[in-house]
Each structure stands twice: as structure tokens, then as C-alpha cells.
Amino acid sequence: MTDHPSEKPTEPIYQETKPLPPRPPQPPRPPRETRALQTPKAGGRPPSGAGPANYQQQYDYDRPTPPAEHVPGRKSRVTAGLLGILLGVVGAHRFYLGYKGLGWIMLLITAVSLGNAWFVPAIWGAIEGILYLVMRKGYWSVDSKHKPLQW
């Protein structure tokens, strides 16, 4: 046996302790009723402010949802990406997605420089356009209202 530290016996990491005493028995509690599953009180009317009796009545889960390809009101990631690549110099993709502040900044960089610094927002827009097309999670996958972009 060598004197290498890894071959020496080690001490335990923790010390053994006494086991905890058993808990005293708790009296049985009546079952809790959540607001969604509460039964109406005497008189037949639910308490004021209470919603429907259960979530199935509150949300119409049986109604068919539109197909995933097109949901009205959502912005398209392809449109945002192409606007960024082709018209990123004026911030068109930012206006399209609702980021008006950044859109104005990109437009002002181009306008104030009289077009001499056109390459700055053009490169900026092209990079963002590619990110909108490629990224599926995070900042590049939602619009200004945090709704996911669709294809």
C-alpha cells in the first residue's frame, strides 16, 4: 500500500444522530373543497363571486381549436424574418412585431445619417431576421405581447 491520500481510509462525512421521536397523531380533518368544486350552499345559489361549479363549465374544452398552422391574431415568423433581412434597414420587422421603440431607433439611424450609416441597421436587421427564422424559444420566438410566432 502506498501513501497516496486517495488510498487512506476516510472519516464519515456526517455524524450519526439519534432518530427523531414519532409525531403525535393528528385528528382527522374534513376534506377541503376548492372554489371550483364547491357545492352550492342552502338556497341553491353559489356564493357571490364564485365561478362555475367546475373547470369544464368555465372553459369550453369541447370546442375545436383552430389548426396549429394558422391562428388568427398571431404574427408569422417567416414574415418577420424576411422583413428583417430585406427591410431591416428601416426596422420594418420591429414595427411588424409591435416593438415600435426599436423600430423608430433603426429608422432614425438611417434617416439622421442621411443614409450614410445604412449598413448598421441593415446588418442589425439581417441578423435579427435570421434569428427570427431559426430560433424557436426565447426572445426571438414571441412578439411584443409575448404571443408565440407561428410559421
Side-chain angles (χ1 to χ4, degrees):
M1 190 154 149
T2 64
D3 291 334
H4 194 269
S6 65
E7 295 180 4
K8 293 183 181 178
T10 59
E11 297 178 11
I13 297 174
Y14 61 93
Q15 297 292 327
E16 293 289 329
T17 59
K18 296 188 290 185
L20 294 173
R23 288 187 176 185
Q26 298 286 333
R29 294 184 185 177
R32 284 180 56 185
E33 292 186 15
T34 62
R35 179 180 285 193
L37 300 176
Q38 283 179 350
T39 55
K41 305 257 188 236
R45 293 184 53 192
S48 63
N54 61 29
Y55 290 116
Q56 184 67 29
Q57 291 175 355
Q58 186 175 3
Y59 302 108
D60 192 11
Y61 288 122
D62 296 332
R63 184 175 37 167
T65 58
E69 292 84 32
H70 178 71
V71 178
R74 283 203 189 155
K75 307 290 184 176
S76 167
R77 82 174 47 242
V78 174
T79 304
L82 291 176
L83 282 173
I85 292 170
L86 300 175
L87 295 173
V89 70
V90 292
H93 62 295
R94 289 302 193 156
F95 285 112
Y96 172 71
L97 292 174
Y99 296 105
K100 293 179 180 135
L102 286 172
W104 281 111
I105 289 172
M106 294 176 85
L107 183 61
L108 287 174
I109 290 173
T110 303
V112 169
S113 69
L114 299 175
N116 291 330
W118 64 270
F119 58 89
V120 174
I123 294 171
W124 180 6
I127 291 171
E128 286 184 347
I130 292 169
L131 287 172
Y132 280 119
L133 290 172
V134 174
M135 300 299 284
R136 297 194 178 182
K137 291 183 180 180
Y139 179 78
W140 306 106
S141 65
V142 294
D143 65 0
S144 64
K145 296 178 182 175
H146 302 287
K147 290 183 180 177
L149 299 176
Q150 64 184 3
W151 284 102

